[in-house]
Amino acid sequence: MNRNITFCIIITLFFVQTNLVGQVNNGSERTIYLMRAKQFYGSLAKMDLMVNGKLFQKIKNGNRLIIKSETNDTLKIQIVYPLITSHKSRVLEIPPGNESEIYVDLYYWGEGYNPLKHSGVIRGPIGSSPDFNIEIIELSKEEGEKKFNLSELYKDNNKIVEKRFP
C-alpha cells in the first residue's frame, strides 16, 4: 500500500516538473496589437497583412489582431489592398528593442465613388478615379491601449485573434 502511494507521488511530481519547465518565460516576448476600427469607407474589403514580405493574416473591417514575437526579431509590417495590389501602405519597421507592447492602427482613407465626378460628367470626357489608399500608423502606448480596448469601435465581439510570428 505504501509503495503504491509513493509511486503515485513520484509520478505526480514528475509530471508537475515537466509542466513547469515548459512554462518558463525568459521575458523576451513582444506583443503587437493591430486594430482596424469599424469604418464605412472600405468596409467590404479585407486588408492583407504582410509581415516581412509574406502574407500573414487577412483583417476584416472592425477586427483586432494580436501578434506575439520575440523582441530580437525585426518585423516589417505592411498592409496591401487585395483587389488592387498597387495600393499599399508604407512599411512599418519594428526593430529589435526593449518595447514589449506596440499598438498599430490600420485604416482606409480617401473619397468615395461619385458617378458624376468619376464618370466624366463634371470634369470632362475622361473623368478620374477615386483617390484612396490604406494607412498604417504606430500609436503611443496610452493612445493605443485606449483605442484597442474601446469595444464599440469593433464588431469582433471581443473575439480577438492571437497569432504567433514564427
Side-chain angles (χ1 to χ4, degrees):
M1 179 78 166
N2 278 341
R3 205 164 117 188
N4 286 342
I5 293 173
T6 306
F7 182 71
C8 289
I9 291 173
I10 290 172
I11 295 294
T12 305
L13 289 175
F14 175 75
F15 284 116
V16 170
Q17 278 186 325
T18 57
N19 287 342
L20 291 175
V21 171
Q23 295 176 0
V24 172
N25 186 3
N26 57 8
S28 65
E29 188 171 78
R30 177 188 308 163
T31 306
I32 302 168
Y33 298 92
L34 294 141
M35 59 197 98
R36 181 179 173 199
K38 288 186 290 190
Q39 180 181 15
F40 178 74
Y41 190 73
S43 63
L44 297 177
K46 294 179 182 176
M47 292 180 173
D48 287 346
L49 175 66
M50 310 294 281
V51 178
N52 294 346
K54 296 180 182 169
L55 178 64
F56 185 73
Q57 177 77 19
K58 291 186 179 282
I59 301 177
K60 296 192 295 187
N61 187 36
N63 283 11
R64 294 172 279 185
L65 171 68
I66 297 174
I67 300 174
K68 302 270 187 177
S69 74
E70 299 297 319
T71 55
N72 57 359
D73 290 340
T74 299
L75 300 178
K76 294 180 181 178
I77 299 174
Q78 185 176 33
I79 302 297
V80 178
Y81 181 59
L83 301 177
I84 307 170
T85 56
S86 63
H87 289 286
K88 299 177 182 179
S89 69
R90 67 180 177 83
V91 176
L92 176 65
E93 185 171 337
I94 302 174
N98 295 335
E99 289 187 62
S100 61
E101 293 183 344
I102 297 170
Y103 292 87
V104 179
D105 190 17
L106 316 168
Y107 61 93
Y108 281 95
W109 63 265
E111 61 184 352
Y113 181 76
N114 179 344
L116 295 175
K117 178 181 176 185
H118 298 112
S119 66
V121 174
I122 294 178
R123 292 201 178 191
I126 297 174
S128 63
S129 60
D131 185 28
F132 78 98
N133 208 345
I134 47 184
E135 193 62 50
I136 183 170
I137 294 178
E138 185 175 355
L139 302 173
S140 67
K141 185 174 181 179
E142 297 80 27
E143 184 182 3
E145 281 179 351
K146 183 178 175 184
K147 187 169 183 177
F148 193 82
N149 293 323
L150 286 173
S151 59
E152 61 267 4
L153 293 178
Y154 307 98
K155 56 183 181 181
D156 57 7
N157 297 324
N158 289 325
K159 294 179 184 170
I160 302 168
V161 177
E162 187 172 323
K163 289 186 90 174
R164 181 143 198 76
F165 184 74

